[in-house]
Short mmCIF file of all heavy atoms in Angstrom, two decimals:
data_model
loop_
_atom_site.label_atom_id
_atom_site.label_comp_id
_atom_site.label_asym_id
_atom_site.label_seq_id
_atom_site.Cartn_x
_atom_site.Cartn_y
_atom_site.Cartn_z
N ALA A 214 71.70 141.67 317.95
CA ALA A 214 72.07 142.59 316.89
C ALA A 214 71.68 144.03 317.27
O ALA A 214 72.43 144.97 317.05
CB ALA A 214 71.44 142.19 315.58
N SER A 215 70.54 144.18 317.87
CA SER A 215 70.06 145.49 318.28
C SER A 215 70.95 146.06 319.38
O SER A 215 71.28 147.25 319.36
CB SER A 215 68.61 145.38 318.78
OG SER A 215 68.16 146.62 319.26
N GLN A 216 71.33 145.22 320.33
CA GLN A 216 72.22 145.66 321.40
C GLN A 216 73.59 146.03 320.86
O GLN A 216 74.20 147.03 321.31
CB GLN A 216 72.33 144.59 322.49
CG GLN A 216 71.09 144.46 323.34
CD GLN A 216 71.21 143.33 324.36
OE1 GLN A 216 72.16 142.54 324.33
NE2 GLN A 216 70.23 143.27 325.25
N ALA A 217 74.08 145.27 319.91
CA ALA A 217 75.38 145.56 319.29
C ALA A 217 75.32 146.89 318.54
O ALA A 217 76.25 147.73 318.62
CB ALA A 217 75.80 144.45 318.35
N ALA A 218 74.24 147.16 317.82
CA ALA A 218 74.08 148.40 317.10
C ALA A 218 73.99 149.57 318.07
O ALA A 218 74.57 150.64 317.84
CB ALA A 218 72.84 148.35 316.21
N ALA A 219 73.28 149.37 319.18
CA ALA A 219 73.17 150.43 320.18
C ALA A 219 74.53 150.71 320.81
O ALA A 219 74.89 151.88 321.02
CB ALA A 219 72.16 150.04 321.25
N ALA A 220 75.29 149.68 321.09
CA ALA A 220 76.62 149.85 321.67
C ALA A 220 77.53 150.60 320.71
O ALA A 220 78.31 151.49 321.11
CB ALA A 220 77.23 148.51 322.05
N GLU A 221 77.44 150.27 319.42
CA GLU A 221 78.25 150.95 318.41
C GLU A 221 77.85 152.42 318.30
O GLU A 221 78.70 153.31 318.21
CB GLU A 221 78.08 150.26 317.05
CG GLU A 221 78.82 150.92 315.91
CD GLU A 221 80.34 150.92 316.08
OE1 GLU A 221 80.87 150.03 316.78
OE2 GLU A 221 80.98 151.81 315.51
N ALA A 222 76.56 152.70 318.34
CA ALA A 222 76.08 154.09 318.27
C ALA A 222 76.56 154.88 319.48
O ALA A 222 76.98 156.05 319.34
CB ALA A 222 74.55 154.11 318.19
N ILE A 223 76.55 154.26 320.64
CA ILE A 223 77.03 154.94 321.86
C ILE A 223 78.53 155.21 321.75
O ILE A 223 78.99 156.30 322.09
CB ILE A 223 76.69 154.09 323.11
CG1 ILE A 223 75.20 154.14 323.37
CG2 ILE A 223 77.46 154.60 324.33
CD1 ILE A 223 74.73 153.17 324.43
N ALA A 224 79.27 154.26 321.23
CA ALA A 224 80.72 154.43 321.08
C ALA A 224 81.02 155.59 320.13
O ALA A 224 81.89 156.43 320.39
CB ALA A 224 81.37 153.15 320.58
N GLN A 225 80.29 155.65 319.01
CA GLN A 225 80.50 156.73 318.05
C GLN A 225 80.14 158.08 318.67
O GLN A 225 80.81 159.08 318.44
CB GLN A 225 79.66 156.49 316.79
CG GLN A 225 80.20 155.40 315.92
CD GLN A 225 79.29 155.11 314.72
OE1 GLN A 225 78.25 155.72 314.57
NE2 GLN A 225 79.73 154.20 313.88
N GLN A 226 79.07 158.09 319.47
CA GLN A 226 78.63 159.33 320.12
C GLN A 226 79.70 159.79 321.13
O GLN A 226 79.98 160.99 321.24
CB GLN A 226 77.31 159.07 320.83
CG GLN A 226 76.52 160.30 321.12
CD GLN A 226 75.13 159.96 321.60
OE1 GLN A 226 74.93 158.96 322.30
NE2 GLN A 226 74.17 160.78 321.24
N GLN A 227 80.31 158.86 321.83
CA GLN A 227 81.36 159.22 322.78
C GLN A 227 82.57 159.80 322.08
O GLN A 227 83.20 160.75 322.57
CB GLN A 227 81.73 158.00 323.62
CG GLN A 227 80.66 157.61 324.62
CD GLN A 227 80.95 156.28 325.31
OE1 GLN A 227 81.70 155.44 324.79
NE2 GLN A 227 80.33 156.08 326.46
N VAL A 228 82.92 159.24 320.93
CA VAL A 228 84.05 159.76 320.15
C VAL A 228 83.75 161.17 319.68
O VAL A 228 84.59 162.08 319.79
CB VAL A 228 84.37 158.84 318.94
CG1 VAL A 228 85.33 159.52 317.98
CG2 VAL A 228 84.93 157.52 319.43
N ARG A 229 82.53 161.40 319.16
CA ARG A 229 82.15 162.76 318.72
C ARG A 229 82.17 163.73 319.90
O ARG A 229 82.63 164.86 319.76
CB ARG A 229 80.76 162.74 318.08
CG ARG A 229 80.77 162.20 316.65
CD ARG A 229 79.45 162.47 315.96
NE ARG A 229 78.33 161.80 316.60
CZ ARG A 229 77.85 160.61 316.26
NH1 ARG A 229 78.39 159.95 315.25
NH2 ARG A 229 76.82 160.09 316.88
N HIS A 230 81.70 163.28 321.04
CA HIS A 230 81.69 164.14 322.23
C HIS A 230 83.12 164.51 322.63
O HIS A 230 83.41 165.66 322.93
CB HIS A 230 80.98 163.44 323.39
CG HIS A 230 80.92 164.22 324.66
ND1 HIS A 230 81.89 165.06 325.10
CD2 HIS A 230 79.96 164.31 325.61
CE1 HIS A 230 81.58 165.62 326.23
NE2 HIS A 230 80.38 165.17 326.57
N ALA A 231 84.02 163.53 322.64
CA ALA A 231 85.43 163.79 322.98
C ALA A 231 86.05 164.77 321.99
O ALA A 231 86.80 165.68 322.37
CB ALA A 231 86.21 162.49 323.02
N THR A 232 85.76 164.62 320.70
CA THR A 232 86.28 165.50 319.68
C THR A 232 85.76 166.92 319.88
O THR A 232 86.53 167.89 319.84
CB THR A 232 85.90 164.99 318.28
OG1 THR A 232 86.44 163.68 318.11
CG2 THR A 232 86.43 165.90 317.19
N LEU A 233 84.46 167.04 320.13
CA LEU A 233 83.88 168.37 320.34
C LEU A 233 84.41 169.01 321.61
O LEU A 233 84.69 170.22 321.63
CB LEU A 233 82.35 168.27 320.40
CG LEU A 233 81.66 167.98 319.08
CD1 LEU A 233 80.17 167.76 319.31
CD2 LEU A 233 81.90 169.09 318.10
N THR A 234 84.61 168.24 322.64
CA THR A 234 85.17 168.76 323.89
C THR A 234 86.58 169.27 323.65
O THR A 234 86.95 170.36 324.12
CB THR A 234 85.17 167.68 324.98
OG1 THR A 234 83.82 167.25 325.19
CG2 THR A 234 85.75 168.18 326.27
N HIS A 235 87.38 168.52 322.91
CA HIS A 235 88.74 168.93 322.59
C HIS A 235 88.73 170.22 321.76
O HIS A 235 89.49 171.15 322.05
CB HIS A 235 89.45 167.81 321.81
CG HIS A 235 90.80 168.19 321.32
ND1 HIS A 235 91.90 168.29 322.16
CD2 HIS A 235 91.24 168.53 320.09
CE1 HIS A 235 92.95 168.67 321.45
NE2 HIS A 235 92.58 168.82 320.19
N GLU A 236 87.88 170.29 320.77
CA GLU A 236 87.79 171.49 319.92
C GLU A 236 87.31 172.70 320.73
O GLU A 236 87.81 173.81 320.55
CB GLU A 236 86.85 171.26 318.74
CG GLU A 236 87.45 170.36 317.68
CD GLU A 236 88.72 170.95 317.08
OE1 GLU A 236 88.75 172.15 316.73
OE2 GLU A 236 89.70 170.20 316.94
N LEU A 237 86.38 172.50 321.62
CA LEU A 237 85.90 173.58 322.48
C LEU A 237 87.02 174.12 323.35
O LEU A 237 87.20 175.34 323.47
CB LEU A 237 84.72 173.10 323.32
CG LEU A 237 84.07 174.13 324.23
CD1 LEU A 237 83.44 175.24 323.43
CD2 LEU A 237 83.03 173.46 325.10
#
Side-chain angles (χ1 to χ4, degrees):
S215 177
Q216 286 177 352
E221 178 63 25
I223 289 170
Q225 288 177 357
Q226 201 171 35
Q227 288 172 338
V228 168
R229 282 192 297 266
H230 180 325
T232 300
L233 288 174
T234 300
H235 175 75
E236 287 299 314
L237 182 63

